[in-house]
Tab-separated table of all heavy atoms in Angstrom:
chain	number	residue	atom	x	y	z
B	1155	VAL	N	-10.324	13.044	-36.327
B	1155	VAL	CA	-9.081	13.640	-36.658
B	1155	VAL	C	-8.084	12.655	-37.387
B	1155	VAL	O	-8.346	11.424	-37.294
B	1155	VAL	CB	-8.347	14.203	-35.466
B	1155	VAL	CG1	-9.178	15.352	-34.743
B	1155	VAL	CG2	-8.342	13.119	-34.366
B	1156	ASN	N	-7.107	13.128	-37.954
B	1156	ASN	CA	-6.108	12.399	-38.587
B	1156	ASN	C	-4.922	12.238	-37.757
B	1156	ASN	O	-3.986	13.140	-37.763
B	1156	ASN	CB	-5.752	12.859	-39.900
B	1156	ASN	CG	-4.655	12.033	-40.790
B	1156	ASN	OD1	-4.868	10.885	-40.817
B	1156	ASN	ND2	-3.748	12.799	-41.227
B	1157	ARG	N	-4.581	11.053	-37.161
B	1157	ARG	CA	-3.417	10.835	-36.324
B	1157	ARG	C	-2.782	9.544	-36.632
B	1157	ARG	O	-2.810	8.557	-35.877
B	1157	ARG	CB	-3.859	11.008	-34.882
B	1157	ARG	CG	-4.291	12.237	-34.317
B	1157	ARG	CD	-4.666	12.214	-32.864
B	1157	ARG	NE	-5.118	13.479	-32.407
B	1157	ARG	CZ	-5.918	13.655	-31.359
B	1157	ARG	NH1	-6.481	12.537	-30.715
B	1157	ARG	NH2	-6.427	14.841	-31.111
B	1158	PRO	N	-2.183	9.398	-37.847
B	1158	PRO	CA	-1.691	8.103	-38.283
B	1158	PRO	C	-0.550	7.570	-37.360
B	1158	PRO	O	-0.516	6.370	-37.178
B	1158	PRO	CB	-1.293	8.503	-39.730
B	1158	PRO	CG	-1.055	9.935	-39.731
B	1158	PRO	CD	-2.018	10.509	-38.811
B	1159	LYS	N	0.302	8.357	-36.850
B	1159	LYS	CA	1.515	7.808	-36.119
B	1159	LYS	C	1.035	7.248	-34.782
B	1159	LYS	O	1.434	6.222	-34.302
B	1159	LYS	CB	2.470	8.930	-35.887
B	1159	LYS	CG	3.282	9.318	-37.077
B	1159	LYS	CD	4.311	10.415	-36.699
B	1159	LYS	CE	5.021	10.810	-38.028
B	1159	LYS	NZ	5.828	11.984	-37.936
B	1160	GLU	N	-0.073	7.963	-34.177
B	1160	GLU	CA	-0.572	7.481	-32.924
B	1160	GLU	C	-1.435	6.350	-32.965
B	1160	GLU	O	-1.463	5.368	-32.178
B	1160	GLU	CB	-1.357	8.618	-32.328
B	1160	GLU	CG	-2.128	8.344	-30.980
B	1160	GLU	CD	-3.082	9.499	-30.620
B	1160	GLU	OE1	-2.787	10.672	-30.841
B	1160	GLU	OE2	-4.161	9.188	-30.058
B	1161	ARG	N	-2.226	6.175	-34.149
B	1161	ARG	CA	-3.304	5.200	-34.127
B	1161	ARG	C	-3.015	4.118	-35.264
B	1161	ARG	O	-3.721	3.079	-35.228
B	1161	ARG	CB	-4.672	5.901	-34.533
B	1161	ARG	CG	-5.078	6.969	-33.518
B	1161	ARG	CD	-6.510	7.330	-33.633
B	1161	ARG	NE	-6.910	8.034	-34.899
B	1161	ARG	CZ	-8.041	8.715	-35.092
B	1161	ARG	NH1	-8.793	8.917	-34.080
B	1161	ARG	NH2	-8.198	9.282	-36.192
B	1162	GLY	N	-2.027	4.356	-36.146
B	1162	GLY	CA	-1.641	3.378	-37.045
B	1162	GLY	C	-2.562	3.247	-38.263
B	1162	GLY	O	-2.477	2.348	-39.164
B	1163	PHE	N	-3.297	4.217	-38.499
B	1163	PHE	CA	-4.092	4.365	-39.675
B	1163	PHE	C	-4.360	5.811	-40.074
B	1163	PHE	O	-4.391	6.677	-39.172
B	1163	PHE	CB	-5.461	3.617	-39.680
B	1163	PHE	CG	-6.336	4.153	-38.446
B	1163	PHE	CD1	-7.194	5.158	-38.609
B	1163	PHE	CD2	-6.222	3.439	-37.314
B	1163	PHE	CE1	-7.992	5.598	-37.610
B	1163	PHE	CE2	-7.046	3.891	-36.233
B	1163	PHE	CZ	-7.911	4.961	-36.441
B	1164	ALA	N	-4.671	6.117	-41.262
B	1164	ALA	CA	-5.003	7.535	-41.652
B	1164	ALA	C	-6.474	7.778	-41.629
B	1164	ALA	O	-7.304	6.913	-41.457
B	1164	ALA	CB	-4.638	7.755	-43.185
B	1165	ALA	N	-6.802	9.091	-41.413
B	1165	ALA	CA	-8.298	9.560	-41.356
B	1165	ALA	C	-8.816	9.275	-40.084
B	1165	ALA	O	-8.194	8.726	-39.222
B	1165	ALA	CB	-9.043	8.960	-42.585
B	1166	GLY	N	-10.186	9.493	-40.053
B	1166	GLY	CA	-10.972	9.498	-38.788
B	1166	GLY	C	-12.295	8.926	-38.862
B	1166	GLY	O	-12.709	8.537	-39.999
B	1167	PHE	N	-12.998	8.876	-37.691
B	1167	PHE	CA	-14.406	8.352	-37.724
B	1167	PHE	C	-15.179	8.952	-36.667
B	1167	PHE	O	-14.611	9.742	-35.771
B	1167	PHE	CB	-14.243	6.747	-37.453
B	1167	PHE	CG	-13.665	6.424	-36.134
B	1167	PHE	CD1	-14.456	6.176	-35.065
B	1167	PHE	CD2	-12.335	6.257	-36.079
B	1167	PHE	CE1	-13.863	5.848	-33.755
B	1167	PHE	CE2	-11.643	5.754	-34.835
B	1167	PHE	CZ	-12.542	5.633	-33.777
B	1168	HIS	N	-16.452	8.657	-36.652
B	1168	HIS	CA	-17.410	9.113	-35.575
B	1168	HIS	C	-18.072	8.035	-34.980
B	1168	HIS	O	-18.279	6.863	-35.694
B	1168	HIS	CB	-18.474	10.056	-36.145
B	1168	HIS	CG	-17.983	11.340	-36.769
B	1168	HIS	ND1	-17.497	11.325	-38.097
B	1168	HIS	CD2	-17.906	12.497	-36.408
B	1168	HIS	CE1	-17.195	12.487	-38.392
B	1168	HIS	NE2	-17.342	13.278	-37.395
B	1169	PHE	N	-18.528	8.232	-33.672
B	1169	PHE	CA	-19.422	7.321	-33.200
B	1169	PHE	C	-20.836	8.105	-33.114
B	1169	PHE	O	-20.909	9.213	-32.811
B	1169	PHE	CB	-19.186	6.983	-31.610
B	1169	PHE	CG	-18.050	6.012	-31.502
B	1169	PHE	CD1	-16.902	6.399	-30.987
B	1169	PHE	CD2	-18.159	4.623	-31.805
B	1169	PHE	CE1	-15.859	5.516	-30.712
B	1169	PHE	CE2	-17.092	3.825	-31.691
B	1169	PHE	CZ	-15.911	4.157	-31.148
B	1170	GLU	N	-21.989	7.341	-33.624
B	1170	GLU	CA	-23.277	7.952	-33.610
B	1170	GLU	C	-24.221	6.903	-32.936
B	1170	GLU	O	-24.059	5.739	-33.159
B	1170	GLU	CB	-23.750	8.186	-35.036
B	1170	GLU	CG	-22.725	9.304	-35.699
B	1170	GLU	CD	-23.016	9.365	-37.244
B	1170	GLU	OE1	-23.826	8.586	-37.790
B	1170	GLU	OE2	-22.499	10.377	-37.799
B	1171	THR	N	-25.153	7.358	-32.174
B	1171	THR	CA	-26.065	6.393	-31.510
B	1171	THR	C	-26.847	5.692	-32.643
B	1171	THR	O	-27.201	6.236	-33.633
B	1171	THR	CB	-27.095	7.206	-30.613
B	1171	THR	OG1	-27.673	8.115	-31.286
B	1171	THR	CG2	-26.299	7.738	-29.326
B	1172	ILE	N	-27.185	4.511	-32.226
B	1172	ILE	CA	-28.118	3.720	-33.043
B	1172	ILE	C	-28.836	2.726	-32.315
B	1172	ILE	O	-28.405	2.231	-31.287
B	1172	ILE	CB	-27.318	2.944	-34.170
B	1172	ILE	CG1	-28.201	2.385	-35.299
B	1172	ILE	CG2	-26.474	1.799	-33.698
B	1172	ILE	CD1	-27.489	1.769	-36.549
B	1173	MET	N	-30.073	2.403	-32.806
B	1173	MET	CA	-30.845	1.430	-32.147
B	1173	MET	C	-31.842	0.870	-33.276
B	1173	MET	O	-32.060	1.500	-34.297
B	1173	MET	CB	-31.659	1.921	-30.912
B	1173	MET	CG	-32.267	0.704	-30.243
B	1173	MET	SD	-31.121	-0.613	-29.680
B	1173	MET	CE	-32.311	-1.655	-28.860
B	1174	MET	N	-32.392	-0.334	-33.095
B	1174	MET	CA	-33.303	-1.060	-34.038
B	1174	MET	C	-34.404	-1.620	-33.168
B	1174	MET	O	-34.180	-1.866	-32.003
B	1174	MET	CB	-32.406	-2.136	-34.723
B	1174	MET	CG	-31.244	-1.690	-35.495
B	1174	MET	SD	-30.326	-3.021	-36.181
B	1174	MET	CE	-29.210	-2.029	-37.165
B	1175	GLY	N	-35.435	-1.995	-33.889
B	1175	GLY	CA	-36.436	-2.860	-33.355
B	1175	GLY	C	-35.984	-4.207	-33.101
B	1175	GLY	O	-34.921	-4.638	-33.694
B	1176	PRO	N	-36.670	-5.047	-32.351
B	1176	PRO	CA	-36.244	-6.385	-32.098
B	1176	PRO	C	-36.043	-7.201	-33.250
B	1176	PRO	O	-35.154	-7.976	-33.509
B	1176	PRO	CB	-37.392	-7.064	-31.183
B	1176	PRO	CG	-38.053	-5.880	-30.713
B	1176	PRO	CD	-38.029	-4.681	-31.659
B	1177	THR	N	-36.946	-7.031	-34.386
B	1177	THR	CA	-37.008	-7.806	-35.571
B	1177	THR	C	-35.608	-7.630	-36.274
B	1177	THR	O	-35.062	-8.546	-36.950
B	1177	THR	CB	-38.035	-7.272	-36.444
B	1177	THR	OG1	-39.287	-7.135	-35.674
B	1177	THR	CG2	-38.379	-8.319	-37.450
B	1178	ARG	N	-34.991	-6.434	-36.203
B	1178	ARG	CA	-33.867	-6.064	-36.837
B	1178	ARG	C	-32.519	-6.377	-35.988
B	1178	ARG	O	-31.553	-6.994	-36.412
B	1178	ARG	CB	-33.749	-4.699	-37.530
B	1178	ARG	CG	-32.654	-4.445	-38.454
B	1178	ARG	CD	-33.187	-3.502	-39.593
B	1178	ARG	NE	-33.901	-2.311	-39.109
B	1178	ARG	CZ	-33.254	-1.047	-39.300
B	1178	ARG	NH1	-32.200	-0.954	-39.759
B	1178	ARG	NH2	-34.021	-0.079	-38.775
B	1179	LEU	N	-32.636	-6.013	-34.732
B	1179	LEU	CA	-31.451	-6.200	-33.818
B	1179	LEU	C	-31.018	-7.708	-33.774
B	1179	LEU	O	-29.871	-7.923	-33.748
B	1179	LEU	CB	-31.746	-5.670	-32.404
B	1179	LEU	CG	-30.504	-5.711	-31.588
B	1179	LEU	CD1	-29.356	-4.756	-32.014
B	1179	LEU	CD2	-30.871	-5.456	-30.092
B	1180	CYS	N	-32.058	-8.549	-33.727
B	1180	CYS	CA	-31.737	-9.995	-33.631
B	1180	CYS	C	-30.944	-10.530	-34.642
B	1180	CYS	O	-30.094	-11.465	-34.620
B	1180	CYS	CB	-32.961	-10.856	-33.472
B	1180	CYS	SG	-33.884	-10.837	-34.963
B	1181	THR	N	-30.868	-9.901	-35.903
B	1181	THR	CA	-30.162	-10.321	-37.129
B	1181	THR	C	-28.971	-9.382	-37.367
B	1181	THR	O	-28.043	-9.766	-38.009
B	1181	THR	CB	-30.924	-10.624	-38.356
B	1181	THR	OG1	-31.806	-9.407	-38.567
B	1181	THR	CG2	-31.927	-11.689	-38.200
B	1182	PHE	N	-29.039	-8.162	-37.000
B	1182	PHE	CA	-28.076	-7.157	-37.281
B	1182	PHE	C	-26.908	-7.066	-36.339
B	1182	PHE	O	-25.785	-6.544	-36.679
B	1182	PHE	CB	-28.607	-5.779	-37.587
B	1182	PHE	CG	-29.057	-5.671	-39.066
B	1182	PHE	CD1	-30.272	-6.272	-39.547
B	1182	PHE	CD2	-28.580	-4.612	-39.787
B	1182	PHE	CE1	-30.651	-6.266	-40.857
B	1182	PHE	CE2	-28.997	-4.442	-41.194
B	1182	PHE	CZ	-30.020	-5.199	-41.681
B	1183	ALA	N	-27.264	-7.431	-35.083
B	1183	ALA	CA	-26.152	-7.341	-34.064
B	1183	ALA	C	-24.975	-8.133	-34.425
B	1183	ALA	O	-23.813	-7.678	-34.273
B	1183	ALA	CB	-26.699	-7.612	-32.734
B	1184	GLN	N	-25.236	-9.450	-34.874
B	1184	GLN	CA	-24.227	-10.293	-35.377
B	1184	GLN	C	-24.712	-10.999	-36.619
B	1184	GLN	O	-25.199	-12.008	-36.458
B	1184	GLN	CB	-23.754	-11.308	-34.237
B	1184	GLN	CG	-22.498	-12.027	-34.604
B	1184	GLN	CD	-21.324	-11.049	-34.893
B	1184	GLN	OE1	-20.851	-10.422	-33.859
B	1184	GLN	NE2	-20.906	-10.982	-36.060
B	1185	PRO	N	-24.627	-10.361	-37.752
B	1185	PRO	CA	-25.315	-10.842	-38.998
B	1185	PRO	C	-24.789	-12.134	-39.452
B	1185	PRO	O	-23.544	-12.385	-39.285
B	1185	PRO	CB	-25.195	-9.745	-39.931
B	1185	PRO	CG	-24.229	-8.850	-39.377
B	1185	PRO	CD	-24.015	-9.110	-37.959
B	1186	GLY	N	-25.661	-12.976	-40.055
B	1186	GLY	CA	-25.103	-14.132	-40.810
B	1186	GLY	C	-24.947	-13.842	-42.177
B	1186	GLY	O	-25.080	-12.667	-42.638
B	1187	SER	N	-24.894	-14.895	-43.038
B	1187	SER	CA	-24.631	-14.797	-44.427
B	1187	SER	C	-25.753	-14.139	-45.175
B	1187	SER	O	-25.590	-13.539	-46.352
B	1187	SER	CB	-24.218	-15.985	-45.025
B	1187	SER	OG	-25.162	-16.945	-44.835
B	1188	GLU	N	-27.033	-14.039	-44.658
B	1188	GLU	CA	-28.064	-13.430	-45.297
B	1188	GLU	C	-28.057	-12.053	-45.318
B	1188	GLU	O	-28.534	-11.328	-46.271
B	1188	GLU	CB	-29.393	-13.946	-44.697
B	1188	GLU	CG	-29.856	-15.239	-45.007
B	1188	GLU	CD	-30.584	-15.240	-46.316
B	1188	GLU	OE1	-29.831	-15.480	-47.391
B	1188	GLU	OE2	-31.735	-14.980	-46.511
B	1189	ILE	N	-27.118	-11.435	-44.526
B	1189	ILE	CA	-27.028	-9.941	-44.448
B	1189	ILE	C	-25.559	-9.488	-44.646
B	1189	ILE	O	-25.225	-8.615	-45.362
B	1189	ILE	CB	-27.449	-9.404	-43.190
B	1189	ILE	CG1	-28.923	-9.627	-43.001
B	1189	ILE	CG2	-27.121	-8.049	-42.916
B	1189	ILE	CD1	-29.530	-9.362	-41.540
B	1190	SER	N	-24.660	-10.394	-44.063
B	1190	SER	CA	-23.257	-9.922	-44.132
B	1190	SER	C	-22.529	-10.750	-45.224
B	1190	SER	O	-23.069	-11.345	-46.155
B	1190	SER	CB	-22.684	-10.084	-42.753
B	1190	SER	OG	-21.349	-9.501	-42.770
B	1191	THR	N	-21.183	-10.820	-45.010
B	1191	THR	CA	-20.410	-11.615	-45.908
B	1191	THR	C	-20.714	-13.193	-45.905
B	1191	THR	O	-21.224	-13.627	-44.942
B	1191	THR	CB	-18.845	-11.499	-45.578
B	1191	THR	OG1	-18.659	-11.619	-44.160
B	1191	THR	CG2	-18.435	-9.975	-45.938
B	1192	PRO	N	-20.284	-13.853	-46.907
B	1192	PRO	CA	-20.745	-15.293	-46.984
B	1192	PRO	C	-20.348	-16.202	-45.826
B	1192	PRO	O	-20.971	-17.094	-45.449
B	1192	PRO	CB	-19.974	-15.818	-48.270
B	1192	PRO	CG	-19.827	-14.538	-49.166
B	1192	PRO	CD	-19.498	-13.480	-48.180
B	1193	TRP	N	-19.235	-15.905	-45.210
B	1193	TRP	CA	-18.684	-16.639	-44.139
B	1193	TRP	C	-19.203	-16.176	-42.844
B	1193	TRP	O	-18.893	-16.717	-41.730
B	1193	TRP	CB	-17.216	-16.690	-44.107
B	1193	TRP	CG	-16.598	-15.353	-44.183
B	1193	TRP	CD1	-16.277	-14.553	-43.010
B	1193	TRP	CD2	-16.142	-14.636	-45.214
B	1193	TRP	NE1	-15.839	-13.307	-43.436
B	1193	TRP	CE2	-15.698	-13.340	-44.782
B	1193	TRP	CE3	-16.197	-14.845	-46.674
B	1193	TRP	CZ2	-15.170	-12.373	-45.724
B	1193	TRP	CZ3	-15.673	-13.862	-47.600
B	1193	TRP	CH2	-15.232	-12.600	-47.035
B	1194	ALA	N	-20.033	-15.170	-42.763
B	1194	ALA	CA	-20.571	-14.508	-41.471
B	1194	ALA	C	-21.520	-15.560	-40.724
B	1194	ALA	O	-22.310	-16.219	-41.480
B	1194	ALA	CB	-21.258	-13.310	-41.724
B	1195	ARG	N	-21.479	-15.691	-39.441
B	1195	ARG	CA	-22.319	-16.595	-38.754
B	1195	ARG	C	-23.211	-15.775	-37.824
B	1195	ARG	O	-22.657	-15.176	-36.844
B	1195	ARG	CB	-21.478	-17.546	-37.949
B	1195	ARG	CG	-20.592	-18.498	-38.854
B	1195	ARG	CD	-21.517	-19.444	-39.777
B	1195	ARG	NE	-20.778	-20.146	-40.751
B	1195	ARG	CZ	-20.855	-19.730	-42.140
B	1195	ARG	NH1	-21.680	-18.734	-42.395
B	1195	ARG	NH2	-20.125	-20.332	-42.998
B	1196	GLY	N	-24.419	-15.843	-38.002
B	1196	GLY	CA	-25.442	-15.149	-37.171
B	1196	GLY	C	-25.587	-15.730	-35.792
B	1196	GLY	O	-25.314	-16.963	-35.494
B	1197	LEU	N	-26.023	-14.925	-34.879
B	1197	LEU	CA	-26.106	-15.381	-33.435
B	1197	LEU	C	-27.396	-16.374	-33.494
B	1197	LEU	O	-28.435	-16.103	-34.107
B	1197	LEU	CB	-26.438	-14.231	-32.608
B	1197	LEU	CG	-25.443	-13.207	-32.162
B	1197	LEU	CD1	-25.841	-12.199	-31.263
B	1197	LEU	CD2	-24.199	-13.981	-31.587
B	1198	TRP	N	-27.303	-17.434	-32.657
B	1198	TRP	CA	-28.417	-18.184	-32.409
B	1198	TRP	C	-28.209	-18.961	-31.085
B	1198	TRP	O	-27.166	-18.880	-30.530
B	1198	TRP	CB	-28.704	-19.271	-33.463
B	1198	TRP	CG	-27.658	-20.264	-33.702
B	1198	TRP	CD1	-26.533	-20.195	-34.584
B	1198	TRP	CD2	-27.616	-21.591	-33.297
B	1198	TRP	NE1	-25.766	-21.298	-34.579
B	1198	TRP	CE2	-26.427	-22.178	-33.729
B	1198	TRP	CE3	-28.524	-22.352	-32.430
B	1198	TRP	CZ2	-26.124	-23.547	-33.430
B	1198	TRP	CZ3	-28.125	-23.689	-32.134
B	1198	TRP	CH2	-26.886	-24.215	-32.694
B	1199	GLY	N	-29.165	-19.646	-30.602
B	1199	GLY	CA	-29.010	-20.352	-29.367
B	1199	GLY	C	-28.968	-19.399	-28.079
B	1199	GLY	O	-29.451	-18.311	-28.108
B	1200	GLU	N	-28.159	-19.834	-27.197
B	1200	GLU	CA	-28.060	-19.035	-25.993
B	1200	GLU	C	-27.485	-17.625	-26.349
B	1200	GLU	O	-27.756	-16.708	-25.579
B	1200	GLU	CB	-27.004	-19.682	-24.983
B	1200	GLU	CG	-27.612	-20.852	-24.176
B	1200	GLU	CD	-28.731	-20.248	-23.318
B	1200	GLU	OE1	-28.647	-19.275	-22.597
B	1200	GLU	OE2	-29.842	-20.822	-23.314
B	1201	ALA	N	-26.660	-17.344	-27.354
B	1201	ALA	CA	-26.198	-16.124	-27.662
B	1201	ALA	C	-27.225	-15.173	-28.096
B	1201	ALA	O	-27.281	-14.053	-27.644
B	1201	ALA	CB	-25.125	-16.228	-28.734
B	1202	VAL	N	-28.047	-15.544	-28.827
B	1202	VAL	CA	-29.202	-14.685	-29.218
B	1202	VAL	C	-30.214	-14.457	-28.130
B	1202	VAL	O	-30.763	-13.415	-27.971
B	1202	VAL	CB	-29.869	-15.107	-30.590
B	1202	VAL	CG1	-30.854	-16.345	-30.390
B	1202	VAL	CG2	-30.482	-14.007	-31.286
Side-chain angles (χ1 to χ4, degrees):
Chain B
V1155 292
N1156 180 47
R1157 290 184 186 149
K1159 285 182 183 166
E1160 175 190 325
R1161 306 194 294 197
F1163 58 86
F1167 63 92
H1168 298 83
F1169 286 113
E1170 298 171 351
T1171 56
I1172 191 170
M1173 190 51 184
M1174 300 170 172
T1177 320
R1178 194 142 50 110
L1179 184 69
C1180 67
T1181 50
F1182 272 62
Q1184 192 59 68
S1187 54
E1188 278 284 89
I1189 293 170
S1190 189
T1191 47
W1193 52 86
R1195 298 291 167 255
L1197 291 180
W1198 64 276
E1200 278 303 309
V1202 82

